[in-house]
């Protein structure tokens, strides 16, 4: 590198947009000062310079919403720290609802905000008119007001981050393109630039519009795509500049637009249906401070709609058109964190709302790098949520879908159609012929339910109970009264082998590692005691273990395993190689016995046993375990045997009343026994003692397992909140997650998940309350779509409280 520039640093951040600068600042804030940012041109030379600079907290994912809240609150702090103005306009914003569904969505958001401490409010059309008189509220049913919404100066804000980072010791090198990133044997990186090579321990790809190209330098595919986006700035409008106060932001999802005041006029941008991916095959290196040509044609319909919603626009001339690209991941959330399988390589890209999310992304990444884990569950933005199966051909239609749906109502039961069906197991056609209605998880098609004769093969997206109700109910009753079959493709599977496998598992898992022939359930903890996974571990023979957990979290878990790997233990992700079925219900044993010559009587094959046995023509690993609360078995085989195993089970099962069941039925059945679910009740947001998973921790094992210290502390002094179950007096909608729990007019907790138990005929919810033990109150209210519903705390599962059925 040139004179005065370091040639060796702890971290190199590539990219000086708002995100790279935020990462750099947060690294220094959290204590790493030996950090360098390299920018090929001036700071803000990607998407950042032409952003509209709007910010807001609304996000379907609660943790992302919290990080957006953090970002917005940070700006004043940055200004005070650096003296650099961010050009803040905290004007507040209203999101309009012009359909009952969108109003439901806003009510659900408002409910979440209550326990998050965000002061949003639902407004009537008249209140909207009072606040933003230029809105034509005809057809508007209401709106959500957020006092935190506003806008800023994109360049000033980026400079403020940069200045703060420099004050913390960071170095910023501009006009210096990174040409290569080469992995070193010592785990670090040679960052080859136009001005020489820098050796870095860690590399952060924050290259925004060029993140794909920078990723490719290290052989990393990042699933993102730039989209061309356009906003217009009007000439002066008297109704605006004559106002006493600045006009608030107005998001009009029905018209796919956002609007705010810009100087003495207005600025309006569109997420139009006729959208345009930009530079599909790669961002040119010579693209920089130019804008794209105006494209009125693609926004014609949206503009016409906007004229009706904001009639003043029709009289205002257009002063400036800004048309530029910025990047999106397939689900619209950022791609952040350590890239699985690549040492010391981190990303902070696909941040489509840099001024709402940039601060939170920077903070999270810095925590991850410095402290080894993030303060909040990073799932929504974790790069590991996309596996190696993602390709450019998958990313493109998904990004288009996401862009077009930017302002669509998102329903909790919704399945998005683009790039599907993609990944399928050998059973797909069989389920399809049985009228499966598929959902998608981690790119894989999974039956959600099997539609009843005469029903449509499509689940209507809804905040309320959907048309899947009767079908799910009938599957639940099928399991409880006879026997049901479902695939195990929704589990991840890892094969852990080696002489040191038991010792390694004992260290990485907090629970008991089973003896040969047995299986156990165990939480996996982080050093801070947070839940990193809830695993089933089975041991067929000493030195060979199978782990199962959430299919969608397989890369998240694999990455954790690799970070903690030791010589002599091999860990293989066999999720897509090993498949099979689970059978559940009172007739499950009879079914299994009829397809195997192995004795599976209750004495010979006990609850939590694992055995190798022939099933049909195939040799399978069979585990006796249950997530439905009923007698159940998991039968594992390889992909090539799966159809034969199914044929054998199906032929033997028909006289017993065997029928398929899907994810909707599983999620209903688990409620009866208060079984929590990964990413709902169990996630890195919670500890084992908070969720009750501490009952699976083996405190007497003579091993310093990860998270032991905190788990032990929590055993002595239990954490202040605990996971509880409720019966809700619900009408036509059930708890989904993050609804507030009220008592005496105060929000005292929040829900993690819930649903309808078709067997008990009750609406059940789970959620956190302040710990008050067995003596505590039982009468609460849960807010469902803006309405208060009585919720009685249940201390024991109403179905088979002793767990007799699954152990019989
Ligand atoms: C028209 C428009 C309106 C928008 N409005 C808003 C809004 O209102 N609110 C909001 O929050 N967001 C808005 N955005 C999105 C916002 O611009 C982005 O979220 C944000 O800029 C992303 O920042 P970034 O740092 O990730 O990427 P970028 O800004 O693209 O920065 C990447 C940087 O990396 C540098 N770089 C790349 N490769 C190399 C290399 N090899 N070596 C060295 N340096 C390299 C580039 O030069 C660039 O400076 C808008 C975007 C557009 C296009």
């Amino acid at each position: 590198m040139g004179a005065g520039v370091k040639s060796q640093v702890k971290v190199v951040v590539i990219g000086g947009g708002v995100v790279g600068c935020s990462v750099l600042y947060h690294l220094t804030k959290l204590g790493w000062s030996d950090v360098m940012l390299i920018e090929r041109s001036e700071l803000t030379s990607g998407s950042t310079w032409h952003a509209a600079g709007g910010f807001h907290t609304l996000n379907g994912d609660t943790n992302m919403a919290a990080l957006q809240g953090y970002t917005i609150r940070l700006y004043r702090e940055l200004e005070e720290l650096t003296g650099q103005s961010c050009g803040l306009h905290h004007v507040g914003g209203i999101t309009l609802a012009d359909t009952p569904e969108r109003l439901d969505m806003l009510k659900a958001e408002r409910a979440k905000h209550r326990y998050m401490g965000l002061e949003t409010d639902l407004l009537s059309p008249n209140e909207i008119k009072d606040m933003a008189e230029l809105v034509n509220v005809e057809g508007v049913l209401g709106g959500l007001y957020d006092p935190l919404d506003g806008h800023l100066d994109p360049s000033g804000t980026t400079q403020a981050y940069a200045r703060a980072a420099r004050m913390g010791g960071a170095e910023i090198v501009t006009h210096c393109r990174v040409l290569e990133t080469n992995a070193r044997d010592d785990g670090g990186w040679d960052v080859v630039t136009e001005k020489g090579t820098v050796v870095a321990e860690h590399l952060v790809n924050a290259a925004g519009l060029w993140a794909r190209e920078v990723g490719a330098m290290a052989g990393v595919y990042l699933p993102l795509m730039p989209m061309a986006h356009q906003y217009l700035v009007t000439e002066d409008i008297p109704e605006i500049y004559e106002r006493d106060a600045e006009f608030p932001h107005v998001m009009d999802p029905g018209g796919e637009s956002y609007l705010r005041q810009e100087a003495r006029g207005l600025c309006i941008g569109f997420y139009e249906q006729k959208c345009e991916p930009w530079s599909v095959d790669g961002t040119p290196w010579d693209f920089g401070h130019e804008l794209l040509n105006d494209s009125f044609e693609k926004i014609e319909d949206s503009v016409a709609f906007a004229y009706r919603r904001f009639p003043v626009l029709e009289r205002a001339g257009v002063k400036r058109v800004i048309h530029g690209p910025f990047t999106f991941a397939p689900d619209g959330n950022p791609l952040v964190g350590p890239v699985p399988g690549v040492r010391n390589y981190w990303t902070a890209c696909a941040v489509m709302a840099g001024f709402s999310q940039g601060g939170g992304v920077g903070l999270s990444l810095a925590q991850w790098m410095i402290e080894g884990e993030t303060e909040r569950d990073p799932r929504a933005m974790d790069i590991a949520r996309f596996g190696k199966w993602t390709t450019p051909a998958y990313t493109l239609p998904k990004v288009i879908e996401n862009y077009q749906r930017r302002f669509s109502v998102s329903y909790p039961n919704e399945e998005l159609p683009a790039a599907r069906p993609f990944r399928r197991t050998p059973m797909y056609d069989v389920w399809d012929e049985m009228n499966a209605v598929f959902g998608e998880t981690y790119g894989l098609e999974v039956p959600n339910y099997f539609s009843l004769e005469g029903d449509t093969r499509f689940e209507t997206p809804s905040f309320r109970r959907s048309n899947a109700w009767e079908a799910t109910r009938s599957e639940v009753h099928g399991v409880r009264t006879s026997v049901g079959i479902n695939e195990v493709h929704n589990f991840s599977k890892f094969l852990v082998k080696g002489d040191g496998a038991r010792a390694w598992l004992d260290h990485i898992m907090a629970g008991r590692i089973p003896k040969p022939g047995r299986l156990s359930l165990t939480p996996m903890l982080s050093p801070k005691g947070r839940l990193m996974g809830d695993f089933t571990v089975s041991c067929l023979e000493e030195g060979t273990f199978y782990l199962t957990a959430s299919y969608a979290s397989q890369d998240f878990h694999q990455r954790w395993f690799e970070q903690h790997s030791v010589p002599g233990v091999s860990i293989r992700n066999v999720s897509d190689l090993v498949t099979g079925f689970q059978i559940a219900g009172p007739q499950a044993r009879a079914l299994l016995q009829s397809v195997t010559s192995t004795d599976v009587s209750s004495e010979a094959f006990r609850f939590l046993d694992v055995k190798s046995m022939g099933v049909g023509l195939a040799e399978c690993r069979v585990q006796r375990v249950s997530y439905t609360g009923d007698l159940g078995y998991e039968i594992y085989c390889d992909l090539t045997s799966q159809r034969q195993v199914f044929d054998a089970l199906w032929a033997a099962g028909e006289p017993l009343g065997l029928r398929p069941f899907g994810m909707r039925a599983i999620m209903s059945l688990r409620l009866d026994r208060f079984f929590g679910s990964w990413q709902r009740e169990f996630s890195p947001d919670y500890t084992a003692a908070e969720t009750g998973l501490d009952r699976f921790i083996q405190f007497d094992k003579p091993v310093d397992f990860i998270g032991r210290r905190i788990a032990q502390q929590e055993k002595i002094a239990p954490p202040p909140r605990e996971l509880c179950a409720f019966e809700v007096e619900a009408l036509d909608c059930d708890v989904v997650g993050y609804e507030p729990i009220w008592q005496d007019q105060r929000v005292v907790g929040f829900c993690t998940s819930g649903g309808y138990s078709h067997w008990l005929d009750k609406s059940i919810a789970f959620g956190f309350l302040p710990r008050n033990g067995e003596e505590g109150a039982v009468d609460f209210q849960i807010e469902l779509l803006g309405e208060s519903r009585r919720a009685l705390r249940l201390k024991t599962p109403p179905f088979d409280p002793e767990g007799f059925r699954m152990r019989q």
Side-chain angles (χ1 to χ4, degrees), residues 710-749:
I710 303 289
Q712 231 145 10
Q713 275 171 13
E714 291 198 326
K715 198 170 152 70
I716 298 161
R721 64 181 178 186
E722 62 182 337
L723 189 63
C724 305
F726 304 86
E727 179 183 341
V728 189
E729 290 182 2
L731 287 183
D732 62 348
C733 61
D734 304 295
V735 161
V736 175
Y738 296 109
E739 294 83 352
I741 304 173
W742 294 79
Q743 190 186 31
D744 300 334
Q745 322 288 321
R746 272 187 326 118
V747 175
V748 290

Side-chain angles (χ1 to χ4, degrees), residues 14-21 38-55 176-179 206-211 214 217 227 229-231 258 260 271 285 322-327 348-357:
I14 303 174
V18 64
V19 174
C21 291
I38 304 180
E39 164 56 49
R40 71 187 176 110
S41 175
E42 296 292 340
L43 295 181
T44 76
S45 291
S47 300
T48 298
W49 77 270
H50 45 53
F55 53 76
C176 176
R177 175 145 77 94
V178 171
L179 304 171
L209 277 180
W210 295 266
V214 169
M217 293 175 191
M227 297 294 288
H229 181 72
Q230 204 164 212
Y231 66 91
Y258 55 89
R260 69 167 172 82
Y271 281 87
W285 287 112
I322 306 285
H323 191 198
F326 64 125
T327 56
C349 54
V351 183
M352 58 75 52
F355 298 95
S356 299
Q357 302 173 332

Side-chain angles (χ1 to χ4, degrees), residues 244-393:
D244 293 338
E246 204 171 331
F247 197 72
H249 284 213
V250 183
M251 267 65 67
D252 181 20
E256 295 163 335
S257 73
Y258 55 89
L259 170 127
R260 69 167 172 82
Q261 182 168 345
E262 167 77 26
R264 287 157 60 91
L266 287 168
C267 145
I268 183 163
F270 304 99
Y271 281 87
E272 67 288 346
Q273 291 304 302
K274 289 184 201 158
C275 59
E276 249 181 289
W278 179 79
S279 275
V280 171
D281 297 322
T283 304
W285 287 112
D286 58 3
F287 184 78
H289 276 252
E290 58 269 47
L291 289 170
L292 309 178
N293 292 333
D294 302 351
S295 171
F296 285 110
E297 195 261 330
K298 69 173 177 175
I299 56 170
E300 249 167 24
D301 296 347
S302 308
V303 169
F305 194 99
Y307 285 166
R308 291 197 295 278
R309 183 71 81 218
F310 311 105
V312 71
L313 284 176
E314 207 164 0
R315 303 193 300 272
V318 173
K319 184 161 77 181
R320 211 166 58 238
V321 179
I322 306 285
H323 191 198
F326 64 125
T327 56
F328 289 73
D331 60 4
N333 275 336
L335 298 172
V336 180
V339 172
V342 192
R343 258 172 80 185
N344 296 333
Y345 192 99
W346 308 77
T347 73
C349 54
V351 183
M352 58 75 52
F355 298 95
S356 299
Q357 302 173 332
V361 164
L363 173 72
S364 302
L365 192 69
Q367 287 172 339
W368 220 329
M369 295 176 74
I370 296 173
E371 298 165 15
E373 55 191 283
T374 52
E375 181 186 326
R376 292 174 181 279
D377 180 1
R379 168 194 2 150
M381 60 178 175
D382 188 348
I383 173 78
R385 73 190 184 281
F386 295 104
K388 291 225 160 27
W389 48 270
T390 45
T391 58

